[in-house]
Amino acid sequence: MTDIAHPHKIEHVAELLRNATRIAVLTGAGMSAESGIETFRQPQTGLWARYNPMELAHVDALARDPKTVTEWYHWRFSKCADAKPNPGHEALARLQQLKRDAGGDVAVLTQNIDGLHQVGGARDIVELHGSILRWRCQKTGEMRPIREVDFSSFPPTSEAGGVLRPDIVLFGEMLPIDALEAAERAVMSCDVFLTIGTSAVVYPAAGYIDLAISRGVPTVEINPDATPMTGSVSHALRGPSGAVLPELLRRMRD
Ligand code: OAD
């Protein structure tokens, strides 16, 4: 179901964005769907419909079977490496630049590990779940870009003999404290909050939506489908972010 053509709703949200100084945006896998990266929870096509997260994305799985887990994330990386930012990423980057030029800001808090916001031109991304583009030695903590990881055997190892793992947050692990603090600051100081392309079921990230709602600032959901938050946000724009965000930008500038 798509109601992006609903003129009053989209016009109203465009006006909210036009008048806002500080905007906080929480993004999820749907943001990259139009770049060809699979989401997690969509029936049939979602990664978790085909793979068991407890065997691949849990910290215990990494300890038990580092070969399978690192091989899977290497395969996931190959998909991200082929992907390009879509018009949604680019529109969000333009919105950030517009607000920064006017002395405000757009803080992008993402659950995505694919790095596409950055390639799309957005800056200072808060990566709540880390990045698949960095891998970390479990023995020394040393971090290295993925292009410097030797994947000739799995699990990849460092010169120090430690397993190299993606610098992402697995189930059972804490989110990086710096990212949590930056996200909270952004949500506590925003005058409009957007939640884009997330099923809003994974905490603590989904908690930022609750936090924004509890502050009483206007909250906007952009998603082709309903989520548990749809009934609680101020405005739900039903449609793909690659279409809705460019349309909002166009109307903001009119
Ligand atoms: P999900 O797969 O749970 O949700 C993706 C959301 O994107 C759904 O609500 C879709 O309706 C929506 N969607 C699909 N196509 C879209 C499009 N073109 N435009 C906008 N929205 C679209 O993904 P997340 O909410 O990101 O964590 O999942 C949260 C976390 O759960 C992930 O970071 C990952 C996962 O397990 C870990 O692996 C730790």
Side-chain angles (χ1 to χ4, degrees), residues 20-233:
T21 304
R22 303 187 76 79
I23 301 171
V25 185
L26 175 70
T27 70
M31 185 84 214
S32 296
E34 289 153 273
S35 296
I37 298 180
E38 290 123 317
T39 61
F40 295 96
R41 293 181 182 75
Q42 288 184 280
Q44 282 119 44
T45 57
L47 285 168
W48 296 158
R50 293 179 287 136
Y51 300 97
N52 181 348
M54 292 306 127
E55 285 170 11
L56 295 164
H58 195 284
V59 64
D60 295 344
L62 178 67
R64 206 171 44 237
D65 187 356
K67 177 176 184 296
T68 301
V69 171
T70 55
E71 249 174 339
W72 192 70
Y73 277 104
H74 181 248
W75 167 75
R76 294 245 348 251
F77 165 71
S78 67
K79 302 233 158 178
C80 299
D82 290 342
K84 306 237 174 333
N86 65 58
H89 293 108
E90 288 160 3
L92 197 54
R94 282 203 305 281
L95 178 65
Q96 187 186 55
Q97 194 57 55
L98 273 175
K99 290 299 166 189
R100 287 187 168 194
D101 288 349
D105 197 15
V106 174
V108 181
L109 325 173
T110 190
Q111 298 166 86
N112 299 344
I113 58 174
D114 56 32
L116 286 181
H117 279 301
Q118 290 89 329
V119 184
R123 301 279 166 261
D124 305 321
I125 307 301
V126 177
E127 294 181 318
L128 292 164
H129 292 171
S131 170
I132 202 168
L133 307 178
R134 293 186 303 269
W135 287 52
R136 174 171 98 228
C137 174
Q138 284 200 304
K139 197 166 175 185
T140 64
E142 178 224 328
M143 208 77 83
R144 64 177 70 178
I146 193 163
R147 66 173 182 282
E148 290 173 17
V149 178
D150 176 5
F151 289 108
S152 53
S153 64
F154 287 93
T157 50
S158 70
E159 293 70 23
V163 166
L164 286 165
R165 58 158 288 182
D167 185 36
I168 60 169
V169 176
L170 297 169
F171 287 110
E173 293 184 315
M174 277 282 292
L175 276 64
I177 192 78
D178 292 0
L180 288 170
E181 286 174 1
E184 180 157 342
R185 270 197 308 276
V187 179
M188 290 304 290
S189 61
C190 71
D191 32 48
V192 176
F193 179 90
L194 308 182
T195 168
I196 308 177
T198 177
S199 57
V201 295
V202 174
Y203 283 77
Y208 294 120
I209 310 172
D210 297 304
L211 184 60
I213 292 170
S214 73
R215 285 193 55 229
V217 294
T219 48
V220 180
E221 179 178 75
I222 300 175
N223 198 310
D225 294 316
T227 77
M229 293 292 178
T230 304
S232 307
V233 292

